Amino acid sequence: MEELLGNIYCWFESIFGQYLAEHLWGYNCETLMYQRNLFNVIGLITIGISFVLVLAYYYLPLFLFNHPRSNRWWNWLIILLIAGIFNFFVAYGWTINDFLNGNIGDCLMYTRDSEGNIISQLIYKKDCWLFGLSNFFVSAMFFIAWSLIFKWWSRNCKYSPF
Amino acid sequence: MKIIIQQTLIILFSTVLFLTACGNNRKSKNGITPANDEFVDTMTGTSVKPIVNVYIENSSSMDGYVKGVTEFEQAVYNYLTDIKISKFTDSLNLNYINSDIIPQGSDIEDFIEKLEPDNFRVRGGNRGTSDISNILKSVLSETQENEVAILVTDGIFSPGKGKDAAQYLVNQQIGIKNSMAEYLKLYPNTAVILYRLSSKFDGYYYNREDSRTYLRSQRPFFIWLIGPIEQLSNLRTAVSESKFKGSGVQNTFSITTGNKEINYAVKLGSGKFKLDMKSPKNAIKNLKKDTKGKHKSARFSVNADLSGFLLNDDYLNDNSNYDISSKDFIVTVSKAVSPFTHQLNLSSDNVHKGIVSIKLKTQIPPWVEAINDNDGSVPLEGKTYGIKYQIEGIYEAFTFSNDFYTELKIYIN
Amino acid sequence: MLKSLTMLLAAGVECGVDTIVPIIIDRDMSNKDLSRTILLIEDYIDVNRIADTKGKNKFFKTKIELLNNELCLQLKDNTQKFSDFIGKSTMSPENQALVEMLFSNETLELDMTAGFQGNPNIGSVVLNQFDDSDIFKAFATNFSKGDKIFIISSIFGGTGASGFPLLRKILHTPNVKGSDGQDLPNWGLVNDALIGAISVLPYFMVGSATDNSLVNSDTFIDKSKAALSYYKTEDKKLDTFYYIADKRTTTYDHHKGGDEQKNDAHFVELASALAILDFVNPDKEKSNIHRNAEKKINYTTYKEFGMNADVAEINFNDLVDETKKLLINPLSRFMLFRNYMTMVFDKESKYQPYARKRFNNDFRKNETIKKLEAVQAQFYNWLQEMEKQNRRFSPFNLTTLSAFDFVKGDVSINESKDFMYKNWAKVDNELNSQIGKMDKALKNEQCFIELFYSTTEELINYKN
């Protein structure tokens, strides 16, 4: 159960890289153990945001949400995109912050030879962007799932997007 | 509409900033390395200096090493001096040994000056025989807790005239094994290091029948170090083999008790697998074969700290000293990054599931066989009569319960 | 006028009875107005079948029934010329001379298929053969205790003016026999039934004759006066007698009959229809009906229609409160319903949950729904026509695209509860809300009409 969210993110591991994935799993280069599972943290935020926006879209009486003129499929899609972009930045922001502040363990950042010289770099800034992108997809998945579950009681948007 | 978008944007960015501020700020910690001038017991963390007792065999066969100024004297003098300088010990006791132990005080210079055949004769004891088993037994009985014994000997057995030499060697071996085993019961953390050195020899060589021949050539001699593992490790650090004067250390044999727990961990990224989250140091899952490269094999590496066994790289880098439970796997050894010393690289053509056990075997190095003189009738260049049996005796004592220094178990799911 | 009544009933105006049986007596069968009215009523009857939802729905709620499935009391004889009808050619020379004295030559030569063209004297002769018709028999057969009778006639016309007193007389004649010589059934009930009438006085003129028509609107007033003096004899023969007229007139194109006689709807017709509703209103019984213990009429109540002001353009504010309250909600709701169907439904039904899987593309092809929309179209035309008159009834802005701003005058028809939803979105929102409250057992068409009634009732609620 604890690994459920991480396993979902790992469908996209080939996009953002194995080493950033290990960092997010919480691998600590000193203790060589897994500690804080960041997939759970970021995943819960993503689930939460998409959940809130799904509820808002279907139930909040405000233009753009639960309104007879915003029950077209593309209105739903816009909200999905908003959630996705927000979650993109959550994921990107978190990882780039760790990257820039040296919070990512050395054994995950670089391969070193026996003298301690860097042979190659394992995690780059672009991986943080790509993780953001992966989170966008994860967000979309959850958005669709929440929509399927919760849309049925919506007055105006019940059949949006289908 | 516009206001809503603005508000939404504000919320979005402030939340991102808030979240990004919640990252962990873990800085990497540096390891602690002991300072050179203070010897810390790495096991207990205490800094108690050991007592060092030096025993030089003064039987007749040793006379050839001490006539005049020889490499033997240089090596021993230099070694003891280095020990003193390094402040490894505050208490260095010098002795002659044959059938008895004859104390010679603590003045190294005086001691070395007096290393002459005449003095050997004078100092007493029964110089006629070299009962190595007894010598060792005496040394062990004098070596208490936190004491280091340094025994310098030519290592040549002398069964005597009319004796069954082969039987004698075996008996000596058993005797040595017995003494060592008893000592290990009292002090299980004991290690033994044996240096083989070489020196000019000018004197009589006594063969297995005790008949002597005059010899003037390079002959090997041995320095045994016996004591607690940590102290021997410290001693080696303080005065390494490279510091030996003269011809230097030709070969080294070391042994400690086995089946020790060490720090090891599977190396992340050393192959196509995932670390088990609950037990990432020694369990992996989803091991797959490489998809790139000519030779597609399933690989993983284990970093291990093999520094606690007093073994040198020659031994540790030799694949044949490792025993893998699954014959599918082959192992190679390379250097690792701190806090580990060595990286064991395993690879297999098949994907294996289950437990893979890697044992660092306790073995006698091949050079022992090479420099052993099994015959003992004439002096063979570079060889020592029966040295193998001494080493095997020690070996058998140490490997009585187990024959491996440590075992690494990796679980593959 | 029947058209106006039908429109009011379609809109769901309160009616004190649950069934109305209209019978049109006219010789001019091809009168275009009549044809339109017949079609309207047939459409209404079809829609009425889905109107009984056991819910809130009031649109088309009152039943309209046709006796023998016929609206018109067909006068048997198809003889066309008046002289043939009275059989002048078979008369004795003395009788022929009498006839020639009583009736002008034009009158005798009159082709009566187009009605009596403003000659009540002919009509009275011809229409005496009422009791022979099948409809009359059906009328008698289906008559029950408690049924009421209301006669509508125009005083200045031909058919209407002449037929009214005759009809009333027959209804009060005991033991009338049918064409087979038998007593008409239930005739005692007919005799004793509550009876009201409206006589519509002149409210329009006709232009100059384009063909050999004898209709002349200059004579309307004179003819009215003549008829009114005769109607004095109706006193105490009717429970309630309604009069309506309008001095402010519009001039219609002159067509004596046939499919060219197509007069635009007029507010007077609407007001006349209100007379019917007034008569059948159980709350009004005390003021309308005055019978003694023997069920004989003590005296007749006379009523005229009044408004707040004599204005050329009437909207709801110009009507007295009672009329306003009666009309404003039903007409506005029906108007909203019609507007939604014409302006919004096509586009929004694809997206709105209320329509999903129920009111899809094929829904509008359903016969009943087509008729409902036909009635709505006619409703709109009816309002348009009334707007063109000199005395315009123009309560609504008929060209607006707005959902709620169509009621003219300072009339507030709804409270804005949900400021989030505006204009048509507000209607869609309400539709989506109401659909969840619909009885699942209702058929699609019934659900449709109930839904729209509930929605318009929620959105349009004039109080005060």
Side-chain angles (χ1 to χ4, degrees), chain C residues 153-165:
Chain C
S153 59
S154 75
I155 205 171
F156 58 89
T159 319
S162 44
F164 160 52

Side-chain angles (χ1 to χ4, degrees), chain A residues 60-63 65-69 71-74 152 154-162, chain C residues 340 344 347-348 351-354 356-357 418 420-426 428-430 432-433:
Chain A
L60 192 69
L62 196 66
F63 188 68
F65 302 122
N66 190 24
H67 194 279
R69 293 297 170 267
N71 55 16
R72 297 12 182 185
W73 63 266
W74 43 265
W152 304 107
S154 173
R155 184 195 299 165
N156 291 309
C157 296
K158 194 170 163 176
Y159 295 106
S160 174
F162 39 77
Chain C
Y340 186 90
V344 182
K347 187 167 156 238
E348 289 300 324
Y351 303 113
Q352 300 307 328
Y354 79 82
R356 183 65 83 104
K357 292 178 195 168
D418 276 315
M420 278 299 127
Y421 305 105
K422 291 197 163 60
N423 205 16
W424 290 110
K426 193 167 180 170
D428 281 317
N429 179 59
E430 194 59 44
N432 289 332
S433 173

Side-chain angles (χ1 to χ4, degrees), chain B residues 216-278:
Chain B
R216 209 182 192 191
S217 73
Q218 285 291 113
R219 286 292 309 156
F221 70 96
F222 297 88
I223 299 181
W224 292 88
L225 306 175
I226 302 169
I229 297 178
E230 316 78 56
Q231 297 298 6
L232 288 202
S233 178
N234 293 339
L235 177 56
R236 269 243 302 251
T237 309
V239 187
S240 66
E241 280 108 80
S242 55
K243 284 198 174 148
F244 275 85
K245 287 263 192 289
S247 311
V249 173
Q250 313 279 300
N251 300 95
T252 308
F253 164 71
S254 63
I255 193 163
T256 57
T257 46
N259 200 13
K260 295 252 167 67
E261 299 274 338
I262 60 162
N263 185 21
Y264 65 96
V266 177
K267 186 179 177 191
L268 184 65
S270 58
K272 278 185 86 95
F273 60 85
K274 286 255 167 282
L275 295 174
D276 182 296
M277 291 211 55
K278 300 268 179 345

Side-chain angles (χ1 to χ4, degrees), chain C residues 341-368:
Chain C
M341 293 305 295
T342 47
M343 295 187 220
V344 182
F345 183 80
D346 259 347
K347 187 167 156 238
E348 289 300 324
S349 57
K350 286 195 281 286
Y351 303 113
Q352 300 307 328
Y354 79 82
R356 183 65 83 104
K357 292 178 195 168
R358 273 188 213 94
F359 312 130
N360 55 17
N361 297 336
D362 290 337
F363 181 71
R364 275 181 129 168
K365 294 180 191 161
N366 175 298
E367 283 305 315
T368 312

Side-chain angles (χ1 to χ4, degrees), chain B residues 37-313:
Chain B
D37 58 353
E38 188 177 280
F39 291 96
V40 177
D41 185 324
T42 52
M43 295 291 272
T44 62
T46 54
S47 50
V48 180
K49 291 190 188 171
I51 296 169
V52 177
N53 302 315
V54 182
Y55 307 90
I56 304 209
E57 189 194 348
N58 69 336
S59 52
S60 330
S61 57
M62 293 296 289
D63 288 353
Y65 291 104
V66 299
K67 188 171 172 191
V69 178
T70 59
E71 288 150 297
F72 175 89
E73 286 171 343
Q74 282 174 342
V76 173
Y77 184 21
N78 184 64
Y79 190 49
L80 296 179
T81 307
D82 279 348
I83 290 174
K84 194 158 178 212
I85 291 170
S86 70
K87 293 195 169 29
F88 171 71
T89 180
D90 290 330
S91 177
L92 187 76
N93 304 315
L94 305 160
N95 304 279
Y96 290 150
I97 190 169
N98 48 55
S99 54
D100 304 315
I101 296 173
I102 306 129
Q104 300 296 313
S106 303
D107 188 336
I108 301 172
E109 200 183 337
D110 181 60
F111 181 74
I112 296 298
E113 258 180 37
K114 294 199 168 102
L115 276 183
E116 286 294 329
D118 296 331
N119 274 329
F120 272 12
R121 266 177 242 120
V122 166
R123 294 299 163 184
N126 183 356
R127 295 186 64 234
T129 55
S130 295
D131 188 331
I132 293 180
S133 174
N134 270 346
I135 287 173
L136 212 50
K137 191 170 174 184
S138 307
V139 168
L140 287 175
S141 64
E142 294 297 312
T143 310
Q144 315 288 334
E145 193 174 343
N146 208 36
E147 289 182 2
V148 173
I150 301 177
L151 170 64
V152 186
T153 165
D154 61 359
I156 300 172
F157 279 125
S158 45
K161 196 170 180 148
K163 295 277 168 62
D164 182 348
Q167 190 61 50
Y168 179 81
L169 259 47
V170 170
N171 289 344
Q172 283 282 296
Q173 181 178 327
I174 294 168
I176 289 168
K177 174 171 108 175
N178 199 44
S179 308
M180 196 71 235
E182 292 295 323
Y183 187 77
L184 283 172
K185 278 194 196 141
L186 295 173
Y187 307 108
N189 250 356
T190 302
V192 172
I193 298 178
L194 176 65
Y195 293 135
R196 177 174 166 272
L197 298 97
S198 178
S199 171
K200 190 178 96 183
F201 182 88
D202 183 0
Y204 287 107
Y205 176 85
Y206 290 85
N207 72 359
R208 71 172 191 230
E209 309 256 303
D210 251 354
S211 61
R212 66 182 195 186
T213 37
Y214 182 73
L215 190 62
R216 209 182 192 191
S217 73
Q218 285 291 113
R219 286 292 309 156
F221 70 96
F222 297 88
I223 299 181
W224 292 88
L225 306 175
I226 302 169
I229 297 178
E230 316 78 56
Q231 297 298 6
L232 288 202
S233 178
N234 293 339
L235 177 56
R236 269 243 302 251
T237 309
V239 187
S240 66
E241 280 108 80
S242 55
K243 284 198 174 148
F244 275 85
K245 287 263 192 289
S247 311
V249 173
Q250 313 279 300
N251 300 95
T252 308
F253 164 71
S254 63
I255 193 163
T256 57
T257 46
N259 200 13
K260 295 252 167 67
E261 299 274 338
I262 60 162
N263 185 21
Y264 65 96
V266 177
K267 186 179 177 191
L268 184 65
S270 58
K272 278 185 86 95
F273 60 85
K274 286 255 167 282
L275 295 174
D276 182 296
M277 291 211 55
K278 300 268 179 345
S279 191
K281 283 190 178 182
N282 65 349
I284 65 175
K285 53 186 182 182
N286 301 336
L287 177 64
K288 292 191 179 98
K289 284 205 211 180
D290 291 333
T291 47
K292 292 182 189 164
K294 272 197 292 187
H295 195 89
K296 296 184 180 34
S297 52
R299 298 180 296 117
F300 65 94
S301 297
V302 184
N303 282 328
D305 177 7
L306 301 174
S307 62
F309 303 112
L310 303 181
L311 298 164
N312 56 22
D313 275 349

Side-chain angles (χ1 to χ4, degrees), chain B residues 261-370:
Chain B
E261 299 274 338
I262 60 162
N263 185 21
Y264 65 96
V266 177
K267 186 179 177 191
L268 184 65
S270 58
K272 278 185 86 95
F273 60 85
K274 286 255 167 282
L275 295 174
D276 182 296
M277 291 211 55
K278 300 268 179 345
S279 191
K281 283 190 178 182
N282 65 349
I284 65 175
K285 53 186 182 182
N286 301 336
L287 177 64
K288 292 191 179 98
K289 284 205 211 180
D290 291 333
T291 47
K292 292 182 189 164
K294 272 197 292 187
H295 195 89
K296 296 184 180 34
S297 52
R299 298 180 296 117
F300 65 94
S301 297
V302 184
N303 282 328
D305 177 7
L306 301 174
S307 62
F309 303 112
L310 303 181
L311 298 164
N312 56 22
D313 275 349
D314 285 341
Y315 189 90
L316 293 171
N317 289 342
D318 184 352
N319 315 2
S320 59
N321 288 328
Y322 296 90
D323 190 27
I324 319 286
S325 61
S326 161
K327 296 306 158 214
D328 277 345
F329 281 98
I330 54 171
V331 64
T332 60
V333 187
S334 51
K335 218 163 167 214
V337 183
S338 171
F340 301 107
T341 57
H342 291 80
Q343 183 175 303
L344 306 176
N345 310 303
L346 282 87
S347 77
S348 163
D349 284 337
N350 306 311
V351 174
H352 185 93
K353 275 197 176 143
I355 305 175
V356 174
S357 151
I358 307 158
K359 285 180 179 167
L360 176 60
K361 294 191 280 195
T362 314
Q363 307 219 91
I364 297 172
W367 62 261
V368 171
E369 184 66 50

